[in-house]
Amino acid sequence: MLLLALKVEHPRSVHLIRGNHEAADINAQFGFRLECVERLGENGLWVWQRLNSLFNYLPLAALVEKKILCMHGGIGRGIETIAEIEAMQRPVNMETGGMLLMDLLWSDPTESDRVEGVHPNARGPGLVSFGPDRVHRFCEANDVQLLVRAHECVMDGFERFAQGHLITVFSATNYCGTANNAGAILVVGRDLVVVPKLIHPLPPRALEDGKDSPPGAGQSPSAQMRSIVSAPADPWLEALNKERPPTPPRGRPPAKSNQEARNSLAWI
């Protein structure tokens, strides 16, 4: 809701693209419908339905200066050109969007640059992971230098793939209260140099007694973001950087059941 409000207030500066949870069945399953009802009472279900109608109109990708292509999931098994994405008519839902929409919103890179090709994805039936060879061919065919996507929790907030031609960026810190991951945003300069900026989890004392506030607390959303990005490091943050484990492998064993899959970090 905050992002939608920012889009309304700054339509030429804020650009939103669709993710895999911008679908009614998925966000209902993960609590969005219930939250709307609990917060808004008898109007909650109507609001939830209207928001999901809006989600069907959201852009599916964004092209920065014709060189950096952004999407939520990836290029999957079947996306070969940017023109294919541009040609998809909106509004579109998961039933009418077919394999192309599934790839854009749900696919992931393979475990590492050593795993090429297209492989089944542990997220579920019909979903795939794509290798660095797919990324290289896509970038060359479309004359782009970088793919930027989200969809996976990575410990350092960002992770490079395909020799740097793809970056996964994940901005939610300490995902689900258990991952202890950093978040990140990507800053793109005028020369298209991409610089990641880390967002650290709150120190344990702030979570325990609430005495500390995150940088920018009480400010406007844009001022908060500037405060987070520019906040000076302190000894706790430096120690956290040293102690944080390396980014775990992307590959995940298949879940024993659908419910276990939905409870895992793979269902981001």
Side-chain angles (χ1 to χ4, degrees):
M1 297 302 295
L2 172 61
L3 293 176
L4 288 174
L6 289 171
K7 175 64 176 177
V8 171
E9 186 174 358
H10 307 285
R12 296 181 179 274
S13 301
V14 176
H15 305 280
L16 305 179
I17 58 177
R18 187 174 182 175
N20 63 322
H21 280 232
E22 276 75 69
D25 57 338
I26 297 298
N27 61 52
Q29 180 182 336
F30 282 83
F32 183 47
R33 179 172 59 190
L34 179 60
E35 182 179 2
C36 288
V37 172
E38 288 180 342
R39 287 175 178 265
L40 302 173
E42 61 182 17
N43 294 321
L45 185 60
W46 179 84
V47 170
W48 174 78
Q49 292 170 337
R50 293 288 291 172
L51 285 171
N52 276 287
S53 295
L54 180 150
F55 294 156
N56 291 335
Y57 286 87
L58 285 177
L60 303 174
L63 187 61
V64 180
E65 297 293 334
K66 300 182 179 180
K67 289 296 182 181
I68 300 175
L69 180 65
C70 308
M71 76 280 286
H72 181 75
I75 54 175
R77 83 216 83 181
I79 301 173
E80 300 294 343
T81 67
I82 295 175
E84 292 174 317
I85 304 173
E86 292 176 324
M88 179 167 281
Q89 297 296 309
R90 292 176 281 145
V92 62
N93 56 39
M94 297 306 299
E95 288 72 30
T96 59
M99 186 176 68
L100 189 148
L101 185 60
M102 188 73 73
D103 282 347
L104 275 172
L105 302 186
W106 282 95
S107 65
D108 300 300
T110 54
E111 298 175 14
S112 73
D113 282 6
R114 296 187 298 274
V115 183
E116 298 187 336
V118 176
H119 302 270
N121 192 314
R123 293 180 188 272
L127 306 178
V128 300
S129 298
F130 55 93
D133 51 328
R134 287 275 294 129
V135 175
H136 290 304
R137 288 201 304 270
F138 184 91
C139 289
E140 183 176 354
N142 293 275
D143 193 26
V144 296
Q145 66 185 38
L146 178 66
L147 305 182
V148 177
R149 45 92 63 178
H151 197 41
E152 287 185 284
C153 176
V154 287
M155 290 302 294
D156 296 318
F158 74 100
E159 183 176 284
R160 294 183 176 89
F161 181 76
Q163 297 177 316
H165 288 283
L166 180 147
I167 295 179
T168 296
V169 59
F170 193 79
S171 58
T173 61
N174 194 25
Y175 182 67
C176 289
T178 60
N180 196 35
N181 62 289
I185 61 173
L186 300 181
V187 178
V188 181
R190 293 185 181 277
D191 53 0
L192 297 186
V193 172
V194 177
V195 179
K197 298 289 187 179
L198 293 188
I199 307 170
H200 296 280
L202 285 175
R205 64 180 184 274
L207 299 176
E208 292 171 1
D209 57 26
K211 292 181 180 179
D212 292 350
S213 298
Q219 299 176 351
S220 66
S222 57
Q224 287 182 25
M225 182 59 70
R226 289 194 297 270
S227 298
I228 291 170
V229 172
S230 61
D234 62 30
W236 181 86
L237 295 181
E238 293 174 1
L240 184 68
N241 281 334
K242 293 178 181 178
E243 295 170 3
R244 180 180 291 113
T247 301
R250 292 186 174 278
R252 301 179 177 91
K256 295 181 181 179
S257 68
N258 287 340
Q259 186 59 45
E260 288 180 10
R262 287 172 172 81
N263 291 335
S264 72
L265 290 182
W267 280 80
I268 296 170

